[in-house]
Amino acid sequence: MPSYGWLLALSLAALTGNPPGAVANEQTERNCSLTPPYLPSTAVNTTLQLKELRALMSPLSISAYIIPDTDAHLSEYISPRDARLAFMTGFTGSAGTAVVTPTKAVLWTDSRYWVQAERQMDCNWDLKRDVSIMSVAEWLISEVPPGGEIGFDPFLFSLKTQEDYSVNLMSSNRSLKSMPANLVDQVWKERPSIPPGGLIRLPDRVIQRSWQMKVEQIRSQMTDSPYKPTALLLSALDETAWLFNMRGSDIPYNPFFYSYTLLTMNEIWLFVHMERITDELKVYLNTSCDGPLCVQLKSYDSVLDDLKMYVDQPGIKVWIGTEYTNYALYEIITPEDKLMTSSYSPVLTTKAVKDETEQQILRDAHVRDAVAVIQLLMWLEKVVPEGKETELTAAKYVDTCRSKQKDNRGPSFDTISASGPNAALAHYSPTAENNRKLTVDEMYLVDSGGQYLDGTTDITRTVHWGTPTPMQKEAFTRVLMGNIEISRTIFPSGTRGVNMEMLGRRALWEVGLNYGHGTGHGVGNYFGVHEWPVGFQSNNIPFREGMFTSIEPGYYKENDFGIRIEDVAVIVPVTTKYGHNYLTFDTVSLVPYDRKLIDTSLLSSEQLQWLNSYYETIRKLVGLELDQQELHEEKDWMLRNTEPFVAPGSSASVSSSSLTLILLTVTLHNII
């Protein structure tokens, strides 16, 4: 799916009508200019929670209170119990910031969610169509009196967020005030509890490095650091999950559990909800001993007190990754000479490079995942002409197909199933209010992924069941050219993704087209579908052998159609004529592209050769899996859609005689 580092500035006008599923004749967006105001049935009454929040603010002498959209681990996906922004505003989008003053309440969000916000918020709230901290700060300066303090929960601010607010407020005589307790939590009487279910350890067959080996590997990096840290603090949920080869179920779509870890040269402190640790896990973690490879279990809620106790000792220096350490923990590590920082912790940078076992099982997961996507595309090809299926039924179908694959643990994100103008919204997902029927007259984009015990998948395919327009066909082909150009690139080890990102855009730029989201993101082994710090953005780390990244250029024509082609690839060594230590990408997503959307006259001979080689790989790897699952119809569909292309300038189709020869060759090969 598209990474969230870039925001797609696309209008949501396509959703402003009465979509299928909406109440008949009901206006779908609020109108606060009327007397009385008009509110659709989807709007949430927030009068009570605002009144109670303001009552808490008054004795604290704060002029405003900021409500971010994240949790204490700065996670992209959050648990329902951390959805404070949704509770206060009624708005359920994944990106936004709210501010409440004694008289006003305002939400900032980006263009993906403007219409959604107008449908879900009541007239207590104003909507600001922006996401920048500068915009929030300028509004605060205009509303908060000089000398006023602005409250915030330091657990929900990153170091950079706190710094950006402070810089923008610096010369205004307004300041931030760190609050010891979250005010929204005090108002939220029915706040969801931590999801039920304990923690699990990964089976030995899917790991190469034990947690003890990983601890020693990270300690070695601490020893080698010239700054000589005495401890490493891990705050991101995937850091602790990776270190201990354990998973949980606290976050939707992500197999993580609430936790922190403090790793010293002689001790390991794991902060976790104690009731979730079974006797079996205590044995696994060596909790009954006191040595350097024995885990000391501590209450999740004691992290501040225990960290302060550790920092108060002499000769201490704590290493943190600034991207995922919240400001509350940062505040504890003082003075500055007790702090060592890097953008990412050594756990995140080490985790980014998969070992041999991780690479192989992640490849295996993508082969099984390809079967599910092929089943979806084959089914849609049959049923869409009948006019009965919708974006929602397609999304449910691919989830069902994945659920039948070995070691599947559910989807890795909410499936993006979008047709026609909905596909022009890069992060659209169907709901009862905006769901559309699928037809042969429109483009269809499906971006979906699965969580498997051995890997996380993410793949996007765009198809057309009728006759695409020349512009649609050219745009699709140029998106495909961008995908291929990155995929076939050879580059020195240590090259940054941002330095080759334009290869995904060049074919589009040549005709004045572009896209507004990121070109790729890291993917993990049963982790988050967006796994930092790998990718093509300026704050991603250099590429090295063994990293996995998505490659996903696109194009979106407002109110008309959207195109994205997304594959996951692993970085592998390549032999060159003269140089050594060079790398390239090996695509592990194995689903064919829609043939009728490919204009081979635009492809270079090198691009066509890459495409045919990719199709040969699909036939070999996915064909074997389809045989093992006895999915004969699906295999026939795959073979038809991976026929070799002939030459630049020729049709994507092949003659009937050539087709007969190809199928005969494949049949004989299978018999032999």
Side-chain angles (χ1 to χ4, degrees):
M1 65 186 301
S3 51
Y4 289 86
W6 291 42
L7 295 176
L8 182 61
L10 294 171
S11 167
L12 302 192
L15 300 180
T16 58
N18 286 318
V23 177
N25 301 320
E26 181 190 27
Q27 181 180 335
T28 59
E29 297 176 36
R30 64 181 183 165
N31 188 340
C32 298
S33 64
L34 299 177
T35 305
Y38 171 77
L39 296 176
S41 59
T42 52
V44 176
N45 187 338
T46 62
T47 301
L48 180 60
Q49 51 260 53
L50 282 171
K51 179 181 178 181
E52 293 181 354
L53 179 64
R54 286 167 173 150
L56 292 175
M57 291 169 57
S58 181
L60 297 173
S61 299
I62 55 174
S63 301
Y65 189 68
I66 302 175
I67 307 167
D69 60 1
T70 189
D71 63 13
H73 305 274
L74 310 179
S75 305
E76 176 184 357
Y77 291 88
I78 59 173
S79 170
R81 73 187 315 267
D82 291 313
R84 300 175 178 90
L85 185 73
F87 168 74
M88 286 302 306
T89 67
F91 168 68
T92 60
S94 64
T97 300
V99 176
V100 177
T101 71
T103 59
K104 294 184 178 181
V106 183
L107 171 77
W108 283 258
T109 191
D110 66 72
S111 58
R112 294 172 293 158
Y113 297 117
W114 293 342
V115 168
Q116 180 177 338
E118 295 287 8
R119 290 174 174 173
Q120 294 181 321
M121 294 195 304
D122 64 10
C123 291
N124 286 311
W125 291 88
D126 292 329
L127 175 64
K128 299 294 183 182
R129 300 168 190 263
D130 196 348
V131 290
S132 67
I133 289 178
M134 179 181 295
S135 174
V136 181
E138 288 176 349
W139 186 88
L140 286 167
I141 292 171
S142 69
E143 296 294 331
V144 172
E149 292 186 312
I150 300 154
F152 75 101
D153 181 347
F155 276 101
L156 305 183
F157 271 39
S158 68
L159 277 63
K160 187 176 188 307
T161 299
Q162 195 278 340
E163 179 182 0
D164 287 349
Y165 273 110
S166 296
V167 167
N168 280 281
L169 295 171
M170 184 181 301
S171 58
S172 70
N173 194 24
R174 284 90 170 166
S175 61
L176 292 176
K177 181 178 182 180
S178 178
M179 311 294 292
N182 190 286
L183 301 188
V184 175
D185 292 353
Q186 297 177 50
V187 172
W188 198 353
K189 303 298 190 299
E190 298 181 359
R191 183 186 177 202
S193 59
I194 297 172
L199 312 182
I200 62 169
R201 53 166 292 196
L202 290 179
D204 293 338
R205 68 177 178 82
V206 297
I207 59 171
Q208 179 174 323
R209 290 171 286 181
S210 67
W211 71 260
Q212 292 92 338
M213 293 169 63
K214 291 180 176 180
V215 165
E216 295 291 19
Q217 187 176 5
I218 300 304
R219 279 175 172 160
S220 177
Q221 295 184 50
M222 294 167 62
T223 300
D224 292 342
S225 169
Y227 302 101
K228 302 303 177 187
T230 61
L232 172 67
L233 178 62
L234 304 179
S235 298
L237 297 182
D238 58 339
E239 292 177 312
T240 292
W242 177 86
L243 186 66
F244 295 110
N245 292 328
M246 286 169 34
R247 302 293 188 269
S249 57
D250 290 349
I251 310 296
Y253 305 116
N254 294 263
F256 302 144
F257 54 95
Y258 290 113
S259 57
Y260 298 97
T261 297
L262 186 72
L263 176 66
T264 76
M265 301 308 295
N266 300 306
E267 293 180 301
I268 308 169
W269 295 0
L270 172 58
F271 298 88
V272 68
H273 292 284
M274 303 290 286
E275 67 275 9
R276 314 184 80 175
I277 301 292
T278 64
D279 290 339
E280 179 184 359
L281 279 179
K282 290 179 181 179
V283 173
Y284 169 71
L285 294 170
N286 296 338
T287 62
S288 61
C289 57
D290 296 322
L293 291 175
C294 303
V295 177
Q296 299 180 37
L297 298 177
K298 294 181 176 290
S299 170
Y300 175 82
D301 295 324
S302 72
V303 63
L304 282 183
D305 292 338
D306 285 339
L307 180 60
K308 188 176 189 309
M309 178 185 68
Y310 177 79
V311 170
D312 285 345
Q313 300 177 84
I316 294 300
K317 185 179 288 290
V318 180
W319 187 354
I320 64 171
T322 57
E323 290 286 337
Y324 288 100
T325 302
N326 63 56
Y327 192 74
L329 299 179
Y330 170 80
E331 284 184 305
I332 295 295
I333 310 172
T334 53
E336 284 291 319
D337 62 1
K338 294 195 173 187
L339 181 68
M340 172 186 164
T341 64
S342 57
S343 294
Y344 303 102
S345 77
V347 165
L348 285 183
T349 55
T350 301
K351 178 166 67 71
V353 179
K354 314 307 181 193
D355 60 35
E356 293 176 353
T357 297
E358 291 168 333
Q359 290 183 44
Q360 185 56 57
I361 63 176
L362 193 45
R363 286 177 180 271
D364 294 342
H366 278 84
V367 172
R368 301 196 305 279
D369 194 73
V371 173
V373 180
I374 286 172
Q375 289 177 312
L376 169 72
L377 297 179
M378 186 184 75
W379 176 72
L380 289 174
E381 195 174 271
K382 291 180 180 179
V383 300
V384 168
E386 299 174 359
K388 299 178 181 179
E389 303 306 329
T390 67
E391 295 166 332
L392 267 177
T393 58
K396 293 177 181 178
Y397 191 89
V398 73
D399 287 346
T400 299
C401 292
R402 281 197 172 93
S403 69
K404 298 176 182 178
Q405 292 299 315
K406 176 185 174 185
D407 289 338
N408 181 263
R409 295 297 185 269
S412 57
F413 58 93
D414 192 15
T415 297
I416 297 171
S417 174
S419 64
N422 285 347
L425 312 173
H427 298 88
Y428 164 91
S429 289
T431 66
E433 290 76 31
N434 58 26
N435 186 34
R436 302 178 80 248
K437 276 190 175 181
L438 304 181
T439 77
V440 297
D441 300 319
E442 294 181 329
M443 302 272 277
Y444 173 70
L445 183 156
V446 57
D447 183 349
S448 64
Q451 290 287 9
Y452 299 86
L453 199 58
D454 46 359
T456 302
T457 67
D458 183 6
I459 183 172
T460 307
R461 289 294 181 264
T462 305
V463 298
H464 198 302
W465 298 291
T467 303
T469 66
M471 197 273 178
Q472 289 173 334
K473 191 169 181 177
E474 179 179 2
F476 180 93
T477 304
R478 291 185 178 277
V479 170
L480 177 61
M481 291 164 68
N483 184 294
I484 293 174
E485 278 305 288
I486 291 179
S487 300
R488 61 181 291 270
T489 296
I490 296 174
F491 54 93
S493 179
T495 300
R496 289 185 175 273
V498 68
N499 294 332
M500 65 178 78
E501 195 262 1
M502 66 165 289
L503 295 175
R505 302 176 185 269
R506 183 170 61 183
L508 290 163
W509 287 353
E510 288 173 350
V511 292
L513 304 179
N514 201 2
Y515 55 95
H517 56 71
T519 299
H521 55 81
V523 177
N525 289 91
Y526 194 22
F527 275 109
V529 72
H530 291 160
E531 183 174 85
W532 287 80
V534 175
F536 292 88
Q537 300 182 50
S538 58
N539 57 345
N540 291 141
I541 60 177
F543 283 136
R544 290 175 53 195
E545 178 184 350
M547 291 180 173
F548 282 74
T549 183
S550 71
I551 301 172
E552 51 180 306
Y555 171 69
Y556 309 88
K557 186 177 180 183
E558 184 178 329
N559 295 329
D560 194 348
F561 65 88
I563 299 166
R564 186 162 60 253
I565 298 173
E566 177 183 17
D567 294 310
V568 172
V570 59
I571 300 171
V572 297
V574 63
T575 301
T576 62
K577 184 175 181 180
Y578 299 112
H580 301 285
N581 203 24
Y582 278 72
L583 305 170
T584 192
F585 297 98
D586 185 15
T587 302
V588 300
S589 300
L590 300 170
V591 176
Y593 313 117
D594 189 347
R595 298 181 74 84
K596 69 172 57 179
L597 287 169
I598 301 175
D599 182 355
T600 57
S601 68
L602 296 175
L603 301 179
S604 69
S605 59
E606 292 83 4
Q607 292 167 346
L608 194 65
Q609 181 181 1
W610 183 95
L611 185 56
N612 283 335
S613 176
Y614 172 59
Y615 277 9
E616 288 176 9
T617 301
I618 294 176
R619 287 180 164 227
K620 177 182 177 182
L621 298 180
V622 181
L624 179 61
E625 183 66 27
L626 291 169
D627 284 339
Q628 291 176 346
Q629 296 191 31
E630 298 184 350
L631 298 172
H632 306 300
E633 188 178 0
E634 286 82 351
K635 184 175 182 181
D636 290 341
W637 185 95
M638 180 273 292
L639 291 175
R640 288 196 305 272
N641 284 275
T642 54
E643 295 160 5
F645 292 89
V646 185
S650 62
S651 171
S653 63
V654 296
S655 66
S656 58
S657 60
S658 298
L659 175 59
T660 301
L661 179 59
I662 291 168
L663 293 176
L664 179 60
T665 302
V666 171
T667 302
L668 289 173
H669 176 75
N670 289 339
I671 293 174
I672 294 171

